[in-house]
Amino acid sequence: MSNEPLDDEKRTKRASFSRPLEQGEPDEVAHYDDAVIGRAFRWSAFAFVALAVLLAGVLFLIKRKPAPTAAKVTQITSPVARAVLLAEIPEAKFTDATRSSRIQFIHHNGAYGEKLLPETMGGGVAFFDFDNDGAPDLLFINSTDWPWRIQPAQMPPTLALYRNDGHGRFEDATAGSGLDASLYGMGAAVGDYDNDGWVDVFVTGVGGNRLFRNLGQGKFTEVTAAAGIGGAQGEWSSSATWMDFDNDGDLDLFVCNYVRWSKEIDLEVGYQLTGIGRAYGPPMNFEGTFPYFYRNEGNGKFTDVSEASGVQVKNSATGVPAAKSLGVAPIDLDHNGWIDLVVANDTVQNFVFTNRMDGTFQEIGAVSGIAFDSYGNTRGAMGIDAGIFQNDGRLGIIIGNFANEMTALYVSQGASAIFTDEAITEGIGPASRLLLKFGVFFFDYDLDGRLDVLSVNGHLEEEINKVQQSQQYAQPAQLFWNSGQKTTAAFQVVPPEKCGADLFKPIVGRGSAFADLDRDGDLDVVLTQVGGAPLLLRNDQNLGHHWLRIKLIGKKSNRDAIGAKVKVRVGDQTLVRQVMPTRSYLSQSELPVTFGLGKASRVDEIEIVWPRNRVQKVPVERVRIDAMNVIEEE
């Protein structure tokens, strides 16, 4: 073995192929091999570290973010309602006049412990002048016992008709009227469908609907079968409306249907609350339905045009009926003189049906912005109403939603049928969130010329407070005063000290309606509750505001003038009211329209827009302020 020194190449090869000692090989050789290996390892380690540093530097250069530039910060603030002094809200007291008015009706829902969903959804009411004496009368819609629970020895509950004496006191006129009928009723629609001068009554319910023709002299006769609008026995109908959708001078009928329901389906769904057991619940697990649409043929008969008219909407994914309808607002959305429909659906998207003027409708709910909330979600929609609440031409559509969902206030953007939900910015949204809203409507309770809002509330489940401490079964109503502000929130919550505690008595609220019961010009209110007594509230405001009331009689149009608009100009303000009894939830308000004039003692212009946009100017010198005025179509 040579003893010459090893150069680096040889050392590397030696190190690379070092081997175990053979027998008899000296230790020095082994030590030398280890030394070479050690040096090689140190060089390799150095190379590895250098390579790692180099790679880290490259990665740093690649991923290095440029030095931040000075950020331009834009301050964003959430909408804040204008702080209104309590003193600005007028004092306008509502007084509980239920007993003094001699209203003794108690709603009967037939509940017996199984907690079937219809038992907690009924209770409509209608103001209408059934005897043509100029005073609005009252019809309460009642339910009855279930067929499998009827007690033969007992008289079944019936509808309840009360005649107004003109001063806000009522007489029970049910017996022998023909409206002393027993059915599992839900709501009502009133209108003179045969143009004979007497207002007729359509009643919705579970298991079939009824039509009662007004014969005059306080008598009604049922003509459901002859008219052909009874509906299927297995359906559950809710709100309904009379309206002249084809502008032929007679009233057609749209009927909301809720969900596909039977006792067996309800028990199979088996809704329960932890700690309570069987409970009333939302309709998510019930299949949807189609509404009815009936065209008036003018001879006492109707044709079912539900499918042909385009109001039957199917779920695009499953092909099943999509509607779960509880409320409807007939309104001319695009100002073309033809009535459109906005339908409030429970837990599915709301519908907007625009009238194509050829006997059909197009559904544009999603396009219009009314189908969903601002985040694209559906809500539990119940009652609905429409009105121009800011006197600026913009239409507002208000919808009462489920507990922990804000009341919706969709406001039109320009002349098109495009809406945005302005409930938060207009002051209604946050204040309404907690309550479970049913009946909602616009009305001018203080006669200042601006439309205010009343909401009647109540939960579905009697024992809800055991599982949700923030919820109560009986809930107070909410009143929103319209301050007239246009750059900030328009609506302010009215406290009891401004309108009295009677309005806020907790009830299991459902239907609601308004009318001038005592002919003093201001609007009185009735609220109904499921399984209990109604609350009749007399408006005792004494603000010294002037007012104007107008009743229209159609000649070319339907006799009730349903769908016509009245425009009253007072200075630089134009007030608009639509003749439409269908408002709120399951309910009907009076036909005459009321204009609060505030301190103004005269009006500058009156214009009536009849169906098909026929315009009639009314000489203001012919109109009496602080009085009812009857105007016939020319």
Side-chain angles (χ1 to χ4, degrees):
M1 182 174 180
S2 172
N3 291 323
E4 64 179 327
L6 296 174
D7 58 22
D8 289 341
E9 183 180 355
K10 292 179 179 178
R11 288 192 186 98
T12 301
K13 289 180 180 179
R14 179 76 175 267
S16 301
F17 295 98
S18 59
R19 71 224 184 302
L21 289 174
E22 295 180 2
Q23 189 175 4
E25 191 170 13
D27 288 341
E28 299 92 68
V29 176
H31 176 74
Y32 181 81
D33 284 348
D34 290 343
V36 172
I37 292 170
R39 285 194 296 270
F41 179 79
R42 284 193 296 272
W43 279 103
S44 298
F46 175 78
F48 176 78
V49 171
L51 181 61
V53 171
L54 179 62
L55 288 173
V58 171
L59 288 173
F60 173 76
L61 291 174
I62 292 173
K63 294 187 175 183
R64 184 183 61 171
K65 294 181 180 179
T69 58
K72 296 179 69 175
V73 178
T74 301
Q75 296 295 331
I76 299 177
T77 57
S78 59
V80 177
R82 169 178 173 262
V84 174
L85 295 175
L86 197 61
E88 293 187 33
I89 299 176
E91 290 191 18
K93 186 179 181 182
F94 285 89
T95 303
D96 183 353
T98 313
R99 288 190 176 182
S100 62
S101 297
R102 299 181 290 205
I103 299 293
Q104 298 179 321
F105 173 75
I106 303 292
H107 180 261
H108 180 89
N109 65 351
Y112 62 96
E114 293 230 55
K115 295 195 173 181
L116 304 176
L117 188 55
E119 296 167 355
T120 194
M121 299 296 289
V125 62
F127 277 122
F128 74 124
D129 185 5
F130 79 88
D131 53 2
N132 284 342
D133 65 353
D137 308 299
L138 266 171
L139 175 67
F140 293 101
I141 306 303
N142 209 355
S143 300
T144 188
D145 293 313
W146 293 110
W148 54 89
R149 295 284 300 182
I150 290 176
Q151 305 297 322
Q154 297 180 358
M155 290 294 293
T158 69
L159 311 178
L161 178 66
Y162 284 88
R163 178 185 288 110
N164 187 349
D165 69 357
H167 304 284
R169 292 185 297 273
F170 291 87
E171 173 192 1
D172 191 335
T174 310
S177 67
L179 291 177
D180 46 352
S182 181
L183 72 158
Y184 206 95
M186 286 280 133
V190 296
D192 183 4
Y193 77 90
D194 52 3
N195 286 329
D196 66 351
W198 299 92
V199 181
D200 310 297
V201 176
F202 179 77
V203 179
T204 65
V206 178
N209 306 317
R210 309 276 187 93
L211 176 63
F212 298 91
R213 181 169 177 253
N214 191 337
L215 303 176
Q217 307 304 315
K219 301 295 183 181
F220 293 80
T221 185
E222 186 181 344
V223 293
T224 311
I229 56 177
Q233 290 188 351
E235 286 284 8
W236 172 1
S237 298
S238 54
S239 293
T241 184
W242 294 103
M243 36 86 80
D244 186 4
F245 89 105
D246 51 4
N247 282 339
D248 65 351
D250 53 31
L251 293 174
D252 311 294
L253 182 65
F254 179 87
V255 184
C256 296
N257 286 319
Y258 188 31
V259 294
R260 182 170 171 264
W261 181 89
S262 68
K263 176 186 176 183
E264 292 73 25
I265 293 173
D266 204 327
L267 294 177
E268 184 177 345
V269 168
Y271 187 78
Q272 299 204 2
L273 287 174
T274 303
I276 293 178
R278 174 78 176 158
Y280 297 113
M284 277 87 77
N285 294 320
F286 293 87
E287 189 175 293
T289 56
F290 289 137
Y292 298 137
F293 206 113
Y294 300 103
R295 185 181 65 230
N296 190 339
E297 301 298 347
N299 57 0
K301 298 182 183 299
F302 293 78
T303 299
D304 188 339
V305 294
S306 306
E307 183 176 1
S309 64
V311 300
Q312 293 187 344
V313 179
K314 294 181 180 180
N315 184 303
S316 59
T318 63
V320 301
K324 297 182 180 181
S325 306
L326 287 176
V328 57
I331 188 78
D332 181 4
L333 294 172
D334 42 15
H335 311 290
N336 64 356
W338 296 74
I339 287 289
D340 310 297
L341 294 166
V342 183
V343 178
N345 284 320
D346 191 1
T347 70
V348 297
Q349 70 184 71
N350 301 317
F351 296 151
V352 177
F353 294 110
T354 56
N355 195 327
R356 287 173 162 168
M357 301 177 288
D358 62 357
T360 67
F361 291 85
Q362 180 182 10
E363 203 289 303
I364 62 163
V367 174
S368 71
I370 296 175
F372 306 101
D373 69 8
S374 300
Y375 302 98
N377 299 316
T378 60
R379 292 185 279 200
M382 280 73 157
I384 184 173
D385 195 14
I388 298 174
F389 64 94
Q390 285 286 52
N391 298 334
D392 58 0
R394 296 187 306 149
L395 178 67
I397 296 174
I398 191 164
I399 300 177
N401 291 313
F402 203 77
N404 296 311
E405 297 174 342
M406 292 184 291
T407 292
L409 179 59
Y410 298 102
V411 182
S412 63
Q413 307 300 303
S416 64
I418 303 299
F419 292 76
T420 59
D421 190 350
E422 299 183 8
I424 294 177
T425 54
E426 292 292 5
I428 286 181
S432 66
R433 183 186 62 81
L434 195 62
L435 298 166
L436 201 165
K437 288 76 62 182
F438 274 90
V440 292
F441 56 69
F442 290 106
F443 77 135
D444 182 5
Y445 79 93
D446 60 342
L447 299 178
D448 65 356
R450 300 185 295 269
L451 290 174
D452 312 296
V453 170
L454 181 67
S455 168
V456 59
N457 316 301
H459 213 281
L460 301 181
E461 174 54 49
E462 302 102 314
E463 300 180 273
I464 189 65
N465 184 250
K466 293 182 179 179
V467 293
Q468 295 183 36
Q469 292 186 354
S470 64
Q471 292 295 318
Q472 300 291 336
Y473 184 45
Q475 299 180 358
Q478 268 192 316
L479 180 63
F480 294 90
W481 175 65
N482 188 342
S483 68
Q485 293 296 314
K486 295 185 178 181
T487 57
T488 54
F491 291 101
Q492 308 296 327
V493 178
V494 181
E497 57 266 31
K498 290 295 182 177
C499 63
D502 289 353
L503 178 62
F504 304 109
K505 176 184 176 182
I507 62 172
V508 190
R510 294 296 183 263
S512 60
F514 62 81
D516 179 11
L517 295 180
D518 44 12
R519 300 176 179 175
D520 62 355
D522 53 35
L523 296 174
D524 310 293
V525 171
V526 63
L527 313 178
T528 70
Q529 63 175 331
V530 66
L535 188 58
L536 186 66
L537 297 154
R538 187 180 64 241
N539 189 336
D540 288 332
Q541 66 83 28
N542 190 24
L543 298 168
H545 289 167
H546 294 289
W547 48 275
L548 172 67
R549 283 172 56 79
I550 294 177
K551 179 182 178 180
L552 299 182
I553 298 177
K555 297 295 185 180
K556 301 173 184 176
S557 306
N558 67 89
R559 184 177 177 85
D560 283 337
I562 286 176
K565 288 180 286 189
V566 184
K567 299 181 178 181
V568 173
R569 184 170 63 82
V570 184
D572 61 353
Q573 293 277 305
T574 298
L575 285 58
V576 182
R577 304 287 184 266
Q578 181 187 28
V579 179
M580 180 53 66
T582 304
R583 302 179 187 277
S584 182
Y585 172 72
L586 306 178
S587 300
Q588 305 275 290
S589 291
E590 66 175 1
L591 278 173
V593 292
T594 297
F595 294 87
L597 304 178
K599 298 301 182 181
S601 58
R602 62 183 300 271
V603 299
D604 298 299
E605 187 177 51
I606 298 177
E607 179 180 281
I608 300 168
V609 183
W610 298 93
R612 288 186 182 267
N613 278 348
R614 294 188 295 265
V615 177
Q616 178 179 340
K617 301 283 187 179
V618 178
V620 294
E621 61 271 14
R622 286 174 41 193
V623 173
R624 295 176 299 145
I625 303 300
D626 298 333
M628 171 71 81
N629 297 266
V630 178
I631 301 173
E632 293 189 358
E633 184 177 12
E634 294 178 347

